[in-house]
Amino acid sequence: MLSDIPLYESPKQLFKQNAVYVVVGGLTGLGFETVKFIAENGGGYIAILSRKIPSNKKQEEMKALQQQYKGSKVVFVQCDVTLTSDVEKAFQSILNIFAGSPIKGVFQSAVVLHDGHLEVLNLADFQKVLNPKVAGTLNLHWATRRQELDYFVCYSSVTSFLGNSTQANYAAANSFLDVFCLYRRNRGLSGQSINWGALNLGVPLKPPLPQAEQVQFPQPLLIALVLQPPSILMAFC
C-alpha cells in the first residue's frame, strides 16, 4: 500500500563551496564541532568569531581541518559579539577576506554561565549571562539583514522550558533565542533555535553528569535539524 505522505529527498550537500558560514563561539566545544561539521559537509569558507585569540593548539587544529578538507578555508576574526561596533567590523572583515562570496549561514553558540539560586543573583549576574545570547543575537541579526541566509541557527538549551534551580538567568537567555527565531521565521527569514540537552563538550556541567548520561556531539541529528527545521527543536540527544 502506497503512502500519501510525500517523501523529502535531502540535498546532496548541506553547505555551498563558494559561501561563507559564521560560527560565533567557534573555538571550543559545540562551536568548534559545528566548524568541523560545516567543513565535512561541503562548506567552503568558515569564519570563527570569538573574544579570545585561539591558542597555538587550536590554531594547529584549524590548520589540520583545512588540510583534511581541502575545499574549506577556516579563518578567525576576534570579536565581542555583545558589542555592535565589534560585530559590524567583524562582518566587514569577513566580506573583505572572502570578497565575492556571500554569507549564507550564522551559527550562534556564544555562552556564558554564572549559576546561583535566584535570591542571590543580582542584575550584573543576569546581564553577564544574557548579553552573549540576547545582545549578541540581535547584533548578528542586524549585521546580516542584507544577506540572504540559508541558516540562522541559535544554540539554545532544554533549560529554557525545563528550568534549573540555579540557572534562571541561563534559562531566560535561551528562552529569548527560542522566541527570537520564531520572530525571524514570521518575517520570512531563516531562523532556528536548537534546545540542546546535556553534551560532554563545551561549558562543563555543574555538577557533572555521570558518564552514562553524557552524549557525544550528534552529527546525524544536526544534519536532520538543518534540512527542513521547525523554528524550535528539542535535541535531547
Side-chain angles (χ1 to χ4, degrees):
M1 180 177 178
L2 295 176
S3 171
D4 293 330
I5 301 174
L7 295 177
Y8 174 69
E9 185 176 348
S10 63
K12 294 181 180 179
Q13 197 160 313
L14 292 173
F15 304 104
K16 298 178 174 68
Q17 184 66 41
N18 188 37
V20 184
Y21 300 91
V22 179
V23 182
V24 181
L27 288 180
T28 59
L30 192 55
F32 194 64
E33 291 296 326
T34 302
V35 171
K36 292 190 286 186
F37 171 78
I38 294 170
E40 290 171 9
N41 288 278
Y45 305 126
I46 305 167
I48 297 174
L49 300 190
S50 178
R51 290 179 301 170
K52 298 180 180 179
I53 296 175
S55 63
N56 291 336
K57 179 181 178 182
K58 184 58 64 176
Q59 291 180 43
E60 290 301 318
E61 290 180 29
M62 291 164 62
K63 290 179 182 177
L65 190 63
Q66 293 179 98
Q67 291 171 356
Q68 183 177 2
Y69 302 101
K70 299 295 185 181
S72 294
K73 181 178 180 181
V74 182
V75 301
F76 167 77
V77 179
Q78 190 169 19
C79 171
D80 183 343
V81 76
T82 68
L83 302 177
T84 303
S85 59
D86 262 28
V87 175
E88 290 175 348
K89 290 177 183 177
F91 273 83
Q92 188 57 56
S93 295
I94 291 169
L95 292 174
N96 292 338
I97 294 169
F98 300 116
S101 297
I103 296 172
K104 299 300 289 182
V106 172
F107 290 78
Q108 158 65 314
S109 69
V111 59
V112 171
L113 291 182
H114 189 95
D115 296 350
H117 290 288
L118 184 59
E119 60 269 22
V120 301
L121 293 175
N122 57 36
L123 179 60
D125 297 331
F126 268 85
Q127 290 175 332
K128 185 184 301 183
V129 175
L130 288 169
N131 280 344
K133 289 182 178 287
V134 177
T137 301
L138 288 172
N139 286 334
L140 294 169
H141 168 74
W142 285 110
T144 58
R145 63 190 181 278
R146 295 186 181 90
Q147 306 289 332
E148 295 183 4
L149 300 181
D150 293 331
Y151 305 114
F152 188 97
V153 181
C154 295
Y155 286 174
S156 180
S157 165
V158 293
T159 60
S160 69
F161 54 90
L162 293 181
N164 188 320
S165 62
T166 60
Q167 291 188 319
N169 47 8
Y170 184 58
N174 286 307
S175 293
F176 170 81
L177 296 182
D178 298 345
V179 174
F180 188 74
C181 285
L182 280 173
Y183 164 79
R184 281 184 57 93
R185 293 287 283 266
N186 287 336
R187 291 178 60 87
L189 303 172
S190 60
Q192 184 189 11
S193 180
I194 301 178
N195 298 100
W196 292 108
L199 298 169
N200 64 341
L201 47 82
V203 178
L205 297 169
K206 297 179 181 180
L209 282 178
Q211 187 66 32
E213 296 181 28
Q214 298 180 9
V215 293
Q216 300 290 331
F217 178 69
Q219 284 213 12
L221 174 61
L222 188 53
I223 291 173
L225 300 186
V226 298
L227 288 179
Q228 273 196 330
S231 58
I232 302 174
L233 201 146
M234 293 175 289
F236 289 101
C237 310

